Amino acid sequence: MRLFCGIDPGSASGAWGMIDHNGNYWSSDSIPNEDKRISVRKFADDLRMAIGREEVMFVIEDVHSMPRQGIASTFTFARAVGAIEATTQLFRTSWFIVTPQRWKADMGVTADKNTSLTMARGLWPDAPLKRVKDNNVAEALLLAEWLRRQEL
């Protein structure tokens, strides 16, 4: 069986979501961090536990700094993205980067994160998406679904 793992990067609010080759919910969680630094070992352990012995492909949202974002915030965010990319490479499998504009257009959601949350809740009613702040997990799952559809 093949798994698809989407990752919505963030230094303190990043999340990952995993679905199987049929599009069924598999697992998801926030990316562990300590003081806005990704806990790479814990993140890798969480992914290993979820993946088990299955084959996995990763897709990471291609994110950039925002206008008027301070230098310190930009550096913290960039360090988090680098840690996330490095962690996925430890799995020695395929990984991809996609812009939010592309995957969101392909999936029919907008920049309004509520559209992502609504769609994800409809696709995976048993996923932990009850709270508004679960929108990062919702986007990670939708990234995984986007990648799965590319592979069909």
Side-chain angles (χ1 to χ4, degrees):
M1 177 180 352
R2 175 177 280 175
L3 300 176
F4 298 91
C5 182
I7 301 176
D8 185 12
S11 53
S13 62
W16 59 271
M18 209 173 288
I19 60 174
D20 70 16
H21 64 281
N22 290 319
N24 298 312
Y25 174 77
W26 188 267
S27 187
S28 62
D29 207 347
S30 296
I31 297 173
N33 71 80
E34 295 173 14
D35 297 325
K36 296 184 180 179
R37 289 181 185 247
I38 302 300
S39 303
V40 173
R41 286 185 183 149
K42 173 85 170 91
F43 183 35
D45 287 346
D46 290 351
L47 291 174
R48 271 191 211 96
M49 289 291 293
I51 295 165
R53 296 181 182 268
E54 307 302 330
E55 180 184 342
V56 67
M57 295 175 70
F58 292 98
V59 61
I60 303 170
E61 187 176 60
D62 189 13
V63 291
H64 303 282
S65 62
M66 300 298 288
R68 294 186 286 279
Q69 186 175 19
I71 293 170
S73 295
T74 299
F75 187 79
T76 299
F77 188 65
R79 183 175 42 226
V81 172
I84 291 165
E85 288 182 9
T87 303
T88 62
Q89 289 183 32
L90 293 172
F91 288 85
R92 301 179 189 271
T93 187
S94 299
W95 65 277
F96 304 90
I97 296 176
V98 63
T99 65
Q101 295 82 5
R102 175 154 182 220
W103 79 261
K104 287 182 180 196
D106 289 351
M107 294 297 294
V109 296
T110 68
D112 178 358
K113 293 205 179 233
N114 287 323
T115 62
S116 296
L117 198 51
T118 299
M119 178 180 273
R121 284 174 175 161
L123 289 170
W124 305 288
D126 55 337
L129 301 171
K130 306 296 182 234
R131 306 167 302 172
V132 172
K133 71 180 195 174
D134 294 326
N135 61 0
N136 292 334
V137 171
E139 293 212 340
L141 286 166
L142 290 172
L143 277 158
E145 176 62 13
W146 175 86
L147 181 60
R148 186 185 78 85
R149 291 179 183 186
Q150 304 311 300
E151 291 296 304
L152 294 178

